[in-house]
Amino acid sequence: MSEKERLIEKMFEAKAVLFGHFVLASGKESNYYINVKKVVTDPEALKLIARLMAEKAQSEGIEFDRVAGPELGAVPIATALSLETGKPLVIVRKKPKEYGTTSQVEGEVREGERILLVEDVTTTGGSVLNAAKVLESLGAKIAAISVVVDREEGAEENIRGNGYRFLPVLRVSELLGSNSSG
């Protein structure tokens, strides 16, 4: 079994793929929901995700100085990828803190640094594109955007249309097409 097939198996074991009626972060309605947060609590699955993301970036020739992820879902993924690659971690808040430093970013971002930005699930790509803009406003360059699951509902087109490379670990068609667990 490949690592990708093992990850798919882990997602179904963790009940990270649900069927029913759901409203997504994008506002769209869907008859299925992918909750990657349920699978990233499993250390083996989290290691698999980090390894698959690192291998995909390497095979695509993506060079980066830091790993970043928007809160909340991407934080464990970005942390695992930071550990896997030895690259420093950056966390992007949805909005600036209202106290202390009022920063929207935790971790250092230097002018011209290349960042591999990660996300758990993309539908339209809006959340991860917002995070990319925040990082670019600090002088960073987005090396690529890597996601665990692309729902194949416009995110790839939006992300590429904004000039970014897009690296999905899984596409929803692969995930749902392999529903071996039931």
Side-chain angles (χ1 to χ4, degrees):
M1 175 181 300
S2 75
E3 287 188 323
K4 198 179 207 183
E5 290 166 335
R6 181 70 183 129
L7 176 58
I8 290 170
E9 184 178 85
K10 293 292 257 175
M11 290 187 74
F12 283 100
E13 284 173 8
K15 297 184 175 32
V17 183
L18 303 171
F19 297 93
H21 180 262
F22 303 94
V23 177
L24 309 176
S26 64
K28 288 186 173 187
E29 294 186 22
S30 178
N31 61 357
Y32 67 92
Y33 183 70
I34 299 167
N35 186 355
V36 173
K37 292 170 199 73
K38 286 198 71 122
V39 79
V40 299
T41 59
D42 174 334
E44 183 191 345
L46 190 54
K47 282 181 187 176
L48 269 172
I49 289 167
R51 197 161 42 249
L52 287 164
M53 281 186 163
E55 288 169 2
K56 182 124 184 164
Q58 186 176 13
S59 72
E60 295 284 330
I62 305 294
E63 293 183 11
F64 57 98
D65 305 299
R66 294 182 188 273
V67 175
E71 66 169 338
L72 174 75
V75 172
I77 298 160
T79 302
L81 188 56
S82 172
L83 291 167
E84 176 75 20
T85 62
K87 304 288 185 180
L89 172 66
V90 176
I91 299 168
V92 182
R93 295 175 184 277
K94 289 182 174 84
K95 55 187 183 198
K97 286 196 313 187
E98 294 180 7
Y99 56 90
T101 61
T102 67
S103 176
Q104 193 165 356
V105 172
E106 296 300 333
E108 192 173 359
V109 177
R110 295 188 189 128
E111 182 81 30
E113 280 188 321
R114 300 160 300 182
I115 294 183
L116 178 57
L117 182 56
V118 303
E119 182 63 292
D120 55 353
V121 180
T122 53
T123 302
T124 63
S127 300
V128 78
L129 286 170
N130 288 338
K133 300 298 179 222
V134 169
L135 293 166
E136 288 174 332
S137 75
L138 298 172
K141 296 184 180 350
I142 304 302
I145 293 174
S146 183
V147 303
V148 180
V149 180
D150 174 27
R151 289 180 55 98
E152 298 178 283
E153 294 183 35
E156 181 166 11
E157 296 78 5
N158 286 339
I159 290 167
R160 290 187 190 280
N162 276 274
Y164 304 114
R165 293 184 68 185
F166 184 63
L167 310 175
V169 171
L170 294 171
R171 295 181 188 278
V172 78
S173 55
E174 295 174 290
L175 187 60
L176 299 184
S178 67
N179 189 357
S180 56
S181 301

